[in-house]
Amino acid sequence: MTSAPVASVLDLAPVIPVVVLDDAADAVPLARALVAGGLPAIEVTLRTPAARAAIRAIAAEVPDAVVGAGTVITADAVADSVKAGARFLVSPGWTDTLLAAMRDSGVPFLPGVSTTSEVVALLERGVTEMKFFPAEAAGGTAYLTSLSGPLPGARFCPTGGITARKAPSYLALPNVGCVGGTWMLPADALAAKDWDRVESLAREASALR
């Protein structure tokens, strides 16, 4: 059965968990815990050899999850991720070559930006939804507030350094659709395969908006 297409990544949930997996066997129970906690959009970063297998497993076995690929930085990674079952793509930055590959992929994407010029360049190319990265290091909520006046057409998923405490201030901004974070995926919980704890933290995160 083919999953329904994703119209906008920013509107799936208030928080997108940013997942780094060393063992693809953890992908399905982790995804089930996140979905049960109210966070269906799951970004699996391409930082480990297990990432593509994890995406395949989630796409095949967790039908209520909307799995995406993160840290996408090449055209080959775009193609491989979509082939594995990724339903959205996230990059830390962008070039025209990468942007063209993401456009051609047929799935929604969030190219990364951290400067006003990058935002303007994407708007010029018809892209209105972006990842703001690294959010805290690049200026945080103050920076995004400054962009909302002159660039009202841009919407963002800030990621990078955002915690449960900081997330509400981002989500209160009119140009923020959702945030990305890892705080619902503590390393000790993942090591212990404590999926109940992950579900509980996901539930708290899903209630932030």
Side-chain angles (χ1 to χ4, degrees):
M1 184 173 62
T2 303
S3 299
V6 176
S8 170
V9 179
L10 300 185
D11 297 327
L12 291 171
V15 180
I16 297 179
V18 180
V19 177
V20 182
L21 283 173
D22 292 311
D23 186 352
D26 291 337
V28 168
L30 176 61
R32 286 175 175 156
L34 292 171
V35 170
L39 299 181
I42 302 169
E43 176 188 334
V44 178
T45 68
L46 303 182
R47 300 181 193 177
T48 67
R52 287 175 180 81
I55 291 170
R56 280 194 297 272
I58 295 170
E61 300 183 45
V62 192
D64 291 332
V66 181
V67 64
T71 322
V72 176
I73 57 173
T74 67
D76 285 344
V78 169
D80 290 346
S81 298
V82 173
K83 184 177 180 181
R87 295 172 62 193
F88 65 92
L89 305 168
V90 184
S91 68
W94 66 277
T95 65
D96 281 321
T97 298
L98 180 59
L99 190 65
M102 290 194 290
R103 280 190 192 277
D104 290 344
S105 72
V107 301
F109 54 90
L110 296 175
V113 296
S114 60
T115 69
T116 306
S117 294
E118 290 171 321
V119 176
V120 171
L122 283 177
L123 290 173
E124 228 177 44
R125 290 160 173 77
V127 178
T128 60
E129 298 189 346
M130 311 166 196
K131 171 179 177 173
F132 178 56
F133 176 81
E136 284 289 290
T141 55
Y143 193 91
L144 287 171
T145 299
S146 298
L147 292 183
S148 64
L151 302 171
R155 295 179 72 216
F156 301 95
C157 173
T159 305
I162 298 177
T163 63
R165 181 178 60 83
K166 294 175 180 177
S169 61
Y170 280 94
L171 291 168
L173 299 179
N175 56 351
V176 169
C178 63
V179 300
T182 61
W183 72 86
M184 72 298 300
L185 304 164
D188 58 340
L190 298 188
K193 305 187 189 301
D194 188 350
W195 310 127
D196 287 340
R197 184 179 172 202
V198 170
E199 180 181 339
S200 177
L201 291 170
R203 186 169 290 108
E204 292 174 6
S206 70
L208 289 176
R209 172 181 285 163

